[in-house]
Amino acid sequence: MYKKPSVARGIKQAYEHLLSANLRNKVPPWLHAMRSTPPADSLVRDPSLFSTHGKLEFENQAIDQSSAAQQTRIKRTLPPGCVSIHHKKAYLRSKSNKPPKIEFPEDRLRKEFYRNHPFERYRPRSLVETTGKNPQTWNRLSDGTSQITGENVIRYQYYLMQTKGMSKQDAYIQATDEFYAIRAREEMNAKIAYQEACFYGAQKLKKPFSAMQLVQEDIEIRKSVGAFEARDEEQRMRETLTEKMFTANE
């Protein structure tokens, strides 16, 4: 990245050139201030002009197709021997300083997957790490130790495209088929766990941490306290009855 030249210094130098060429006779007050205290350099740095496009096969094919389509469009719209000249203000404006766009091969796969599965973005994910390492080689969708998310499908699809030589569509079909099977198994396990919990007396709450839940918990606590008090009272009555029986026999 190179440093952008200072605009204020350019104004000062341009006006000094006008004075030296006798195109201006009057020295403005701000010129003395700029001579005594020159403006600082600009802190804005322009992005370097380098290509960030990948060198993979499907990216090169997309670039070739776009360039061919552009050439075909120009040939169709312009007569032979003519050159396109733009006179609109949009083409006369100077380009703003923007960083080059960085694209990764997985970006297109990610865009397609989340377009077909929008609710996967809102599924909660676990951020707990047991070892701090990522030994996943992506030769399969799940190794059985981590949570299955959309990123697993994207990485697995990219692995099939690069290692197995599969096309984009075939790799997507295989990855999503395995993903659907895992999701179905997780839903089945959740339903079985819910049925077992209901069988052992668990009650489903309408909304977690709601006012109804707090009231229900308070009722359960009072029932428990009442049960303990009733048990203690029964124990005291038995002890009292036993003492009376021994006293009567004596």
Side-chain angles (χ1 to χ4, degrees), residues 7-240:
V7 179
R9 286 190 176 185
I11 295 174
K12 172 180 169 292
Q13 294 175 0
Y15 202 87
E16 287 180 346
H17 290 322
L18 293 175
L19 290 174
S20 61
N22 295 325
L23 298 177
R24 295 290 186 275
N25 298 325
K26 186 178 179 180
V27 179
W30 56 265
L31 187 59
H32 298 289
M34 294 187 69
R35 286 173 178 174
S36 59
T37 307
D41 294 334
S42 176
L43 299 178
V44 179
R45 291 179 177 269
D46 290 347
S48 301
L49 302 178
F50 60 89
S51 176
T52 58
H53 297 286
K55 302 300 181 182
L56 298 177
E57 183 178 356
F58 73 94
E59 291 183 334
N60 295 330
Q61 294 177 358
I63 293 174
D64 296 339
Q65 292 176 1
S66 62
S67 60
Q70 185 177 5
Q71 293 177 1
T72 304
R73 184 172 63 253
I74 293 174
K75 290 180 180 179
R76 289 178 180 176
T77 55
L78 295 178
C82 295
V83 180
S84 176
I85 301 176
H86 302 284
H87 296 284
K88 295 183 180 179
K89 293 183 179 180
Y91 296 99
L92 299 178
R93 296 173 184 171
S94 59
K95 295 183 179 180
S96 59
N97 299 325
K98 295 182 180 180
K101 187 178 181 180
I102 301 176
E103 295 182 356
F104 294 94
E106 294 89 345
D107 293 341
R108 300 179 183 178
L109 308 180
R110 185 176 293 106
K111 184 181 298 183
E112 180 182 0
F113 176 80
Y114 284 114
R115 184 175 62 249
N116 300 331
H117 306 81
F119 293 102
E120 285 296 325
R121 293 180 179 270
Y122 307 103
R123 185 180 292 270
R125 298 178 58 179
S126 175
L127 302 179
V128 178
E129 296 183 358
T130 56
T131 59
K133 299 180 180 179
N134 186 16
Q136 184 81 344
T137 56
W138 305 114
N139 55 355
R140 52 183 177 174
L141 185 60
S142 172
D143 55 356
T145 59
S146 59
Q147 184 184 14
I148 301 300
T149 61
E151 294 298 324
N152 295 63
V153 182
I154 295 165
R155 296 298 182 92
Y156 183 53
Q157 179 185 0
Y158 182 68
Y159 170 82
L160 295 176
M161 293 171 58
Q162 296 298 316
T163 307
K164 304 296 183 179
M166 301 176 63
S167 63
K168 179 180 178 181
Q169 188 66 22
D170 294 340
Y172 178 80
I173 293 174
Q174 180 173 344
T176 50
D177 286 345
E178 298 183 16
F179 176 70
Y180 296 153
I182 293 176
R183 279 283 183 261
R185 185 165 60 250
E186 291 177 353
E187 292 180 0
M188 183 60 65
N189 293 336
K191 290 181 180 179
I192 294 174
Y194 173 74
Q195 294 176 359
E196 291 178 353
C198 293
F199 178 78
Y200 286 107
Q203 296 181 359
K204 182 181 179 181
L205 298 176
K206 295 183 178 180
K207 186 178 181 181
F209 304 107
S210 61
M212 185 175 294
Q213 179 182 2
L214 297 178
V215 172
Q216 188 70 21
E217 290 180 354
D218 189 21
I219 294 174
E220 295 295 334
I221 292 173
R222 290 180 182 179
K223 288 182 179 179
S224 301
V225 173
F228 285 120
E229 291 178 354
R231 188 187 62 181
D232 296 339
E233 183 67 22
E234 184 180 358
Q235 186 68 22
R236 286 195 296 269
M237 291 178 61
R238 288 181 180 179
E239 292 177 356
T240 304

